[in-house]
């Protein structure tokens, strides 16, 4: 076999450590976003980039293992997840729980990242709205005419002119 249990264990352990680091960083990022601590965000982004780079290179290694496994077993590639599960069962069955833990950590990281993304998007929308108000570029709200049609007014005045 081209792969042994020790290699799989080492790779999965490394990935779990990187995912745990990333999860912790995502939680720190949420706190820094809440406090609007830009210095902390810069540091966190650098560390996140490093953890993501480690995970990306590991994913490439796993993909090459899957390709070799598929080639050695003359399989059709339809579902790489099930092929990876089969590869682990054949190579290192004791690692199935470790593989499950890694998948769960990846899912948690994805969820945390989505939450942080929503916070960032909300902050951007709020700041854009504030800038529009300060510049006097806010559109007047749509009102309804006597015929029931929606009508928009012109732009509102700059705060200093109000």
């Amino acid at each position: 076999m081209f792969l042994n249990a020790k290699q799989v264990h080492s790779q999965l352990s490394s990935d779990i450590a990187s995912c745990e680091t990333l999860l912790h960083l995502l939680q720190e990022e949420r706190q820094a976003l809440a406090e609007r601590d830009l210095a902390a965000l810069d540091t966190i982004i650098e560390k996140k980039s490093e953890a993501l780079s480690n995970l990306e290179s590991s994913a490439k290694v796993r993909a090459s293992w899957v390709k070799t496994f598929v080639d050695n077993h003359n399989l059709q590639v339809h579902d790489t997840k099930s092929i990876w599960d089969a590869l682990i069962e054949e190579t290192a069955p004791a690692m199935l729980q470790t593989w499950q833990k890694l998948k769960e950590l990846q899912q948690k990281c994805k969820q945390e990242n989505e939450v942080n993304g929503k916070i960032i998007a909300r902050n951007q929308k709020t700041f854009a709205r504030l800038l529009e108000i300060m510049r006097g570029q806010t559109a007047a709200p749509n009102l309804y005419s006597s015929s029931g049609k929606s009508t928009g007014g012109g732009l509102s005045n700059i705060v200093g002119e109000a």
Side-chain angles (χ1 to χ4, degrees):
M1 182 76 193
F2 68 97
L3 186 62
N4 64 44
K6 188 175 181 177
Q7 289 172 304
V8 173
H9 175 70
S10 174
Q11 192 72 35
L12 292 180
S13 296
S14 172
D15 288 351
I16 286 172
S18 292
C19 273
E20 287 173 340
T21 299
L22 183 59
L23 187 60
H24 179 72
L25 289 169
L26 287 166
Q27 291 164 347
E28 284 182 13
E29 181 181 50
R30 181 183 300 168
Q31 184 66 32
L33 286 168
E35 296 172 358
R36 292 192 169 105
D37 185 352
L38 298 178
L41 280 172
D42 285 341
T43 304
I44 291 167
I45 289 170
E46 288 178 25
K47 291 178 182 177
K48 272 178 40 179
S49 178
E50 183 180 322
L52 288 169
S53 178
N54 291 340
L55 288 169
E56 184 179 358
S57 65
S58 179
K60 288 177 184 177
V61 169
R62 286 195 313 270
S64 71
W65 289 349
V66 167
K67 183 181 179 336
T68 305
F69 183 78
V70 166
D71 292 345
N72 288 346
H73 291 78
N74 296 321
L75 299 173
Q76 297 292 326
V77 179
H78 296 291
D79 182 14
T80 55
K81 289 180 182 178
S82 62
I83 290 175
W84 178 250
D85 290 341
L87 184 146
I88 290 205
E89 282 184 40
E90 184 176 303
T91 308
M95 292 287 107
L96 281 174
Q97 285 183 320
T98 307
W99 172 240
Q100 283 303 113
K101 181 179 179 180
L102 177 59
K103 290 195 302 188
E104 290 169 9
L105 280 169
Q106 288 173 336
Q107 188 62 33
K108 287 179 184 177
C109 286
K110 180 182 176 187
Q111 291 168 347
E112 288 289 325
N113 192 51
E114 287 172 355
V115 169
N116 289 356
K118 288 176 184 177
I119 292 170
I120 291 169
R122 180 70 174 191
N123 285 343
Q124 287 175 334
K125 188 175 181 179
T126 300
F127 289 132
R129 180 81 173 120
L130 289 172
L131 280 173
E132 287 176 358
I133 290 170
M134 294 303 291
R135 292 178 181 155
Q137 298 173 337
T138 59
N142 284 338
L143 301 174
Y144 293 97
S145 68
S146 59
S147 63
K149 293 183 180 179
S150 176
T151 61
L155 293 176
S156 60
N157 294 326
I158 297 174
V159 171
E161 295 177 2

